[in-house]
């Protein structure tokens, strides 16, 4: 399953690395300070997911792309409206006279609405954003599909749900047929919904759909990251629509319950509110993250206690 690691210390701004099993590629959610993020991990990041571009979620973008330049890879960056202009401005603020145009390519997926994602490309040394197309999905590769919710933080704040691709397994004891390449052919037919595909087993032809009962669909693991958001019903409606029944969700819990007035003023969440919405979403495992830098370790324990009390009730 997908593995998430918080790469920021308590007094640092948030950054979460998501590792793909059996792969050398990673994703990262937000680019706050990340003392625990290694150079090797930064170089292996194939996609960056930005919730919003407040400085505490975006300041370390420079540190990440510093280690990616020269890789020759394409790196996808997903984020809210205007992110292509902000990435372009960051990259243009440096001198690139020693960098080849094939050193790297950034592909920006800019979220306009749930159904409208604008795609741009950026390449050195001039870093001029070029519009490519508009599509109706955010991100998909051979490992995951990524869904999202556009939350209100007095600006768009994107919450991301990473869903591993469903897998198909064969019941070893479900038939008396000898094992062979027909099993992989059957799986392929199932994945392609090719009901009429002919599968040869022991010199006899069978229609694929007549053998599908020998297979089981294993639903992909669902991992969510919900960053800054106001405590309000409209946000919660959007969260429920995307994160219901997720396996694991990391959720912003910026304030203690005793400081919830600050949460209201600053469009943030607080401990019991974040725990309660995760309970209502029937999330299997929830983790509070992104605490105010004003807090101590004892404050963090207080936040976690209130969060889990609300989550488990």
């Amino acid at each position: 399953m997908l593995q998430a690691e918080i790469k920021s210390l308590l007094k640092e701004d948030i950054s979460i690395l998501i590792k793909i099993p059996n792969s050398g590629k990673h994703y990262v959610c937000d680019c706050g300070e990340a003392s625990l993020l290694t150079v090797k991990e930064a170089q292996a990041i194939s996609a960056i997911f930005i919730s919003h571009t407040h400085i505490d979620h975006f300041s370390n973008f420079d540190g990440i792309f510093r280690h990616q330049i020269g890789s020759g890879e394409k790196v996808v960056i997903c984020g809210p409206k205007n992110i292509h202009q902000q990435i372009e401005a960051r990259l243009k603020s440096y001198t690139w006279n020693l960098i080849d145009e094939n050193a790297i390519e950034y592909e920006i997926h800019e979220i306009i609405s749930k159904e409208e994602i604008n795609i741009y490309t950026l390449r050195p040394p001039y870093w001029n954003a070029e519009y490519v197309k508009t599509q109706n999905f955010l991100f998909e590769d051979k490992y995951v599909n990524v869904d999202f919710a556009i939350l209100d933080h007095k600006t768009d704040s994107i919450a991301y749900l990473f869903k591993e691709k469903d897998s198909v397994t064969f019941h070893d004891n479900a038939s008396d047929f000898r094992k062979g390449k027909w099993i992989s052919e059957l799986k392929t037919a199932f994945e392609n919904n090719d009901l009429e595909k002919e599968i040869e087993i022991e010199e006899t032809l069978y229609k694929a759909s007549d053998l599908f009962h020998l297979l089981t669909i294993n639903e992909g693991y669902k991992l969510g990251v919900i960053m800054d958001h106001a405590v309000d019903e409209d946000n919660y409606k959007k969260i429920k629509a995307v994160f219901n029944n997720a396996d694991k969700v990391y959720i912003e819990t910026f304030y203690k319950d005793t400081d919830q007035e600050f949460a209201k003023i600053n469009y943030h969440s607080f401990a019991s509110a974040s725990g309660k919405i995760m309970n209502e979403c029937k999330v299997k495992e929830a983790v509070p993250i992104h605490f105010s830098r004003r807090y101590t370790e004892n404050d963090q324990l207080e936040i976690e206690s209130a969060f889990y009390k609300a989550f488990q009730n």
Side-chain angles (χ1 to χ4, degrees):
M1 64 182 69
L2 296 172
Q3 299 172 341
E5 298 177 4
I6 298 173
K7 291 298 179 179
S8 307
L9 300 175
L10 176 61
K11 292 290 186 178
E12 294 180 339
D13 298 323
I14 192 68
S15 186
I16 297 178
L17 188 71
I18 298 176
K19 294 185 175 181
I20 307 164
N22 304 313
S23 167
K25 295 297 182 182
H26 309 320
Y27 314 126
V28 70
C29 287
D30 279 353
C31 298
E33 296 166 273
S35 295
L36 304 178
L37 184 70
T38 68
V39 171
K40 185 176 180 180
E41 287 171 335
Q43 291 172 337
I45 292 169
S46 61
I48 299 170
F49 296 85
I50 302 295
S51 62
H52 61 297
T53 52
H54 285 166
I55 192 168
D56 55 328
H57 294 259
F58 197 43
S59 62
N60 194 43
F61 175 74
D62 298 35
I64 291 175
F65 79 66
R66 176 185 180 185
H67 298 304
Q68 294 178 330
I69 292 294
S71 68
E73 300 286 336
K74 180 175 78 172
V75 178
V76 174
I77 303 173
C78 299
K81 282 183 288 190
N82 300 319
I83 187 132
H84 81 278
Q85 296 171 328
Q86 292 169 301
I87 296 291
E88 181 181 40
R90 293 289 285 271
L91 293 169
K92 283 185 172 181
S93 69
Y94 295 96
T95 301
W96 299 103
N97 60 302
L98 301 179
I99 298 299
D100 183 83
E101 63 180 5
N102 296 316
I104 197 168
E105 176 187 348
Y106 282 109
E107 182 176 281
I108 314 297
H109 294 201
E110 182 171 297
I111 299 167
I112 307 303
S113 69
K114 281 290 285 186
E115 297 78 27
E116 186 180 0
I117 312 298
N118 289 340
I119 310 299
Y120 299 85
T121 58
L122 284 161
R123 297 181 181 86
Y126 303 111
W127 302 110
N128 294 317
E130 297 180 8
Y131 170 79
V132 177
K133 62 180 179 179
T134 298
Q135 62 188 35
N136 60 5
F137 67 95
L138 179 60
F139 179 87
E140 178 180 6
D141 61 15
K142 66 179 182 179
Y143 305 107
V144 300
N145 292 301
V146 180
D147 196 2
F148 64 95
I150 306 173
L151 305 181
D152 179 25
H153 179 48
K154 209 174 181 180
T155 187
D156 286 354
S157 180
I158 313 301
Y160 296 101
L161 180 71
F162 300 82
K163 183 187 175 188
E164 285 184 315
K165 298 291 183 68
D166 294 343
S167 62
V168 179
T169 54
F170 174 74
H171 300 302
D172 287 337
N173 301 319
S175 78
D176 295 325
F177 297 132
R178 293 193 300 272
K179 292 181 180 179
K181 68 175 185 178
W182 67 269
I183 296 176
S184 62
E185 293 174 352
L186 179 62
K187 288 181 179 179
T188 300
F190 183 85
E191 291 167 351
N192 295 333
N193 197 31
D194 189 353
L195 307 181
E196 303 299 322
K197 171 72 175 177
E198 290 188 335
I199 306 293
E200 183 177 345
I201 308 174
E202 298 172 14
E203 300 181 351
T204 301
L205 293 176
Y206 296 87
K207 191 164 67 172
S209 59
D210 293 335
L211 301 171
F212 284 168
H213 67 281
L214 302 177
L215 304 174
T216 297
I217 300 176
N218 305 296
E219 188 174 358
Y221 188 80
K222 291 184 287 187
L223 174 69
V225 178
I226 303 173
M227 292 295 187
D228 302 7
H229 63 284
V231 175
D232 66 50
E233 286 306 313
D234 187 50
N235 275 343
Y236 286 168
K237 182 178 179 180
K238 294 175 182 178
I239 288 172
K240 290 175 183 177
V242 174
F243 296 89
N244 198 43
N245 292 313
D247 292 287
K248 187 173 186 178
V249 176
Y250 292 80
I251 182 167
E252 178 250 314
T253 314
F254 202 72
Y255 287 107
K256 300 191 295 184
D257 280 12
T258 53
D259 289 334
Q260 60 185 271
E261 189 58 35
F262 289 116
K264 182 177 180 180
I265 293 170
N266 295 312
Y267 288 71
H268 268 292
S269 187
F270 55 90
S272 62
S274 289
K276 185 173 183 289
I277 186 58
M278 291 293 90
N279 175 279
E280 292 176 1
C281 287
K282 298 180 174 61
V283 169
K284 296 180 180 65
E285 182 181 359
V287 182
I289 57 166
H290 191 32
F291 314 116
S292 170
R293 294 170 72 119
R294 66 194 288 176
Y295 292 142
T296 64
E297 290 184 8
N298 286 335
D299 292 321
Q300 179 180 345
L301 292 175
E302 181 181 334
I303 289 172
E304 291 174 344
S305 177
F307 174 90
Y308 286 115
K309 182 178 179 180
F311 174 57
Q312 294 165 358
N313 284 345

